[in-house]
Amino acid sequence: MTITIRGRLPLVASLAALGLGLGLPLAVPVAAQSSTTKATTQVDPEMRLRRMEAEIRAIQRKVFPDGAGKTFVPEITPGQSTAAPVGTPAAPAVSDLLARMDAVEAQLSRMTAQIEEGQNRAARLEERLAKLEAAAAPPPAEEPAAEAPAVPAAKPAAVTPAPAKPAAIPAKPAAGKPVAPPAARVAAVQAIEKPSTGDAGMDEYSYGFRLWEGKFFPEAQQQLQIFVDRYPRHRMISFGRNLLGRAWLDDGKPGTAAQFFLQNYLADKKGARAPDSLLYLGVAMVKLKDTEKACGAFAELAATYPDEVAGRLKGQYDAARAGVKCK
């Protein structure tokens, strides 16, 4: 029970003096006992409230890492005054603390529910994204089938592949020791002038043609290979590849020549010298004694370029066909 002693100090003083005069023990003031009881009652709820507020701030920092402006404002703040009027019992203050704690717990529950809902939504989004990615993934590519050459019967079999670069000059004998070309041959090759017209590609091709025309076949092979490698898109590339095959064929190497002829035909069937390459491919197969592929090349020539066979290449075609018996 709490006793209000406001306005009664003279009475208390008189009683205290009377007590001292009689030698009686002085009792502890009732108001002090009431204060101690009230403090004891408020300690545990206050600590509980502070702990919950700290937990809410920790959750807000995790949910809203960007800081201010994105946190929930408590429904009841510590600054709000809910003190009861003077003279009222202490129960309203305790009720205020309990009300604040209830509000904080409700807010904590709402935030927990929102966090769980956000996590579930993120999980559903990740699952949906995984399904979309799986659906959008292209099917595994099938192994492309090897494209059959346009002239399967004319493609030489067991033919020595053409080197990336033709043999350098001078050629090496069987013993492996380089042999210097005769001085007369060196002088004859040097006597052939390389043109200089301002078109570098055309100059390289023309110089190779002059070497082939002079029957310097190894030197022509080297020069024409340079042209083919450096100028693959030149307007004379079909001429260059075909003449490179001619240089090997005239040098007595029909197997290597056949590779260049077939390459020129397959690279550009509309090229200016594609029909010539088919014709000389058949000639190379005749020299290799492969009648079947020679006849296949001649048949492809007649079927693909009938105008050339009846016109510009008629004499060469008839002569080549006379040297082989095709079924």
Side-chain angles (χ1 to χ4, degrees), residues 133-141:
E133 290 178 348

mmCIF file of all heavy atoms in Angstrom, residues 133-141:
data_model
loop_
_atom_site.group_PDB
_atom_site.id
_atom_site.type_symbol
_atom_site.label_atom_id
_atom_site.label_comp_id
_atom_site.label_asym_id
_atom_site.label_seq_id
_atom_site.Cartn_x
_atom_site.Cartn_y
_atom_site.Cartn_z
ATOM 1 N N GLU A 133 15.478 -20.501 -68.742
ATOM 2 C CA GLU A 133 16.802 -20.720 -69.324
ATOM 3 C C GLU A 133 16.905 -22.096 -69.952
ATOM 4 O O GLU A 133 17.503 -22.267 -71.015
ATOM 5 C CB GLU A 133 17.875 -20.549 -68.248
ATOM 6 C CG GLU A 133 18.046 -19.099 -67.790
ATOM 7 C CD GLU A 133 19.083 -18.977 -66.703
ATOM 8 O OE1 GLU A 133 19.492 -20.034 -66.156
ATOM 9 O OE2 GLU A 133 19.483 -17.846 -66.390
ATOM 10 N N ALA A 134 16.316 -23.100 -69.275
ATOM 11 C CA ALA A 134 16.355 -24.450 -69.844
ATOM 12 C C ALA A 134 15.565 -24.524 -71.139
ATOM 13 O O ALA A 134 15.957 -25.198 -72.097
ATOM 14 C CB ALA A 134 15.800 -25.450 -68.831
ATOM 15 N N ALA A 135 14.427 -23.803 -71.186
ATOM 16 C CA ALA A 135 13.624 -23.820 -72.409
ATOM 17 C C ALA A 135 14.286 -23.062 -73.537
ATOM 18 O O ALA A 135 14.135 -23.411 -74.711
ATOM 19 C CB ALA A 135 12.235 -23.226 -72.135
ATOM 20 N N ALA A 136 15.035 -22.002 -73.194
ATOM 21 C CA ALA A 136 15.672 -21.187 -74.227
ATOM 22 C C ALA A 136 16.983 -21.757 -74.703
ATOM 23 O O ALA A 136 17.521 -21.299 -75.703
ATOM 24 C CB ALA A 136 15.902 -19.765 -73.700
ATOM 25 N N ALA A 137 17.535 -22.742 -74.008
ATOM 26 C CA ALA A 137 18.830 -23.306 -74.408
ATOM 27 C C ALA A 137 18.690 -23.976 -75.762
ATOM 28 O O ALA A 137 17.727 -24.716 -76.006
ATOM 29 C CB ALA A 137 19.319 -24.303 -73.367
ATOM 30 N N PRO A 138 19.625 -23.726 -76.700
ATOM 31 C CA PRO A 138 19.541 -24.358 -78.016
ATOM 32 C C PRO A 138 19.785 -25.853 -77.921
ATOM 33 O O PRO A 138 20.513 -26.313 -77.031
ATOM 34 C CB PRO A 138 20.660 -23.654 -78.812
ATOM 35 C CG PRO A 138 21.628 -23.215 -77.770
ATOM 36 C CD PRO A 138 20.820 -22.888 -76.548
ATOM 37 N N PRO A 139 19.173 -26.625 -78.779
ATOM 38 C CA PRO A 139 19.408 -28.069 -78.751
ATOM 39 C C PRO A 139 20.835 -28.375 -79.136
ATOM 40 O O PRO A 139 21.480 -27.598 -79.824
ATOM 41 C CB PRO A 139 18.412 -28.592 -79.818
ATOM 42 C CG PRO A 139 18.194 -27.418 -80.725
ATOM 43 C CD PRO A 139 18.285 -26.201 -79.858
ATOM 44 N N PRO A 140 21.358 -29.497 -78.664
ATOM 45 C CA PRO A 140 22.749 -29.843 -79.008
ATOM 46 C C PRO A 140 22.919 -29.981 -80.509
ATOM 47 O O PRO A 140 22.094 -30.578 -81.201
ATOM 48 C CB PRO A 140 22.963 -31.184 -78.283
ATOM 49 C CG PRO A 140 21.590 -31.717 -78.026
ATOM 50 C CD PRO A 140 20.708 -30.519 -77.838
ATOM 51 N N ALA A 141 23.960 -29.365 -80.986
ATOM 52 C CA ALA A 141 24.209 -29.372 -82.431
ATOM 53 C C ALA A 141 24.585 -30.761 -82.893
ATOM 54 O O ALA A 141 25.365 -31.470 -82.251
ATOM 55 C CB ALA A 141 25.342 -28.394 -82.761
#
